[in-house]
Amino acid sequence: VFLKFSGKNQNGDILPGKPLVKQLRDTVYGELLGYNFDVIDTSTCSNECSGHGVCSDETRLCTCDKFWMENFFRASAGRQFSNCDWSKIYFGIVVLMILCGLFVVLYVVYYVMSLRNDQIKR
């Protein structure tokens, strides 16, 4: 079932699609006029892709600009939308820092264990 809505603000002006969709999402969820629904959206993609990409009208997914990628935690958490939240450069730096930190922890554990083994041998 496809429903088409229009709405007006307090001044009587017709609301554009994006503010109307936001208002419907915030106020009505799950059931409207006796219909259960999964998605409230405009006929064209209104997703801004976090300002770092372009949204496809057919798939409603973002195509991120160079050096940007989707925040997969936010996109996979419930009813979230496609996004281009993460910088690939910052993501790479964070992954590298985590790997370096893990290496340091493993080295410290190895060093402590080798000291213990040396003390046991004596």
Side-chain angles (χ1 to χ4, degrees):
V1 175
F2 177 78
L3 299 174
K4 184 176 179 179
F5 286 94
S6 64
K8 296 183 179 183
N9 62 14
Q10 288 90 3
N11 299 332
D13 300 326
I14 294 177
L15 286 172
K18 191 172 180 180
L20 179 61
V21 166
K22 181 176 179 354
Q23 184 176 359
L24 284 171
R25 284 183 188 148
D26 292 345
T27 57
V28 182
Y29 229 112
E31 187 174 325
L32 180 65
L33 301 175
Y35 292 101
N36 290 325
F37 58 89
D38 295 323
V39 177
I40 296 177
D41 215 338
T42 57
S43 58
T44 59
C45 188
S46 60
N47 187 345
E48 293 178 355
C49 299
S50 309
H52 303 289
V54 178
C55 186
S56 167
D57 287 336
E58 289 109 30
T59 62
R60 306 280 177 168
L61 298 174
C62 292
T63 302
C64 298
D65 295 338
K66 278 187 175 182
F67 304 115
W68 291 93
M69 62 187 277
E70 185 171 50
N71 174 347
F72 43 87
F73 294 118
R74 194 175 112 191
S76 62
R79 301 179 60 92
Q80 298 294 329
F81 298 95
S82 183
N83 62 72
C84 295
D85 283 346
W86 287 357
S87 166
K88 289 180 181 179
I89 295 170
Y90 292 144
F91 181 78
I93 290 170
V94 168
V95 168
L96 186 63
M97 289 174 58
I98 290 171
L99 290 174
C100 287
L102 183 62
F103 176 76
V104 167
V105 168
L106 290 174
Y107 182 76
V108 167
V109 168
Y110 171 77
Y111 182 75
V112 168
M113 294 300 283
S114 65
L115 285 178
R116 290 178 101 193
N117 286 340
D118 286 346
Q119 287 177 353
I120 292 174
K121 290 179 182 176
R122 290 182 190 179

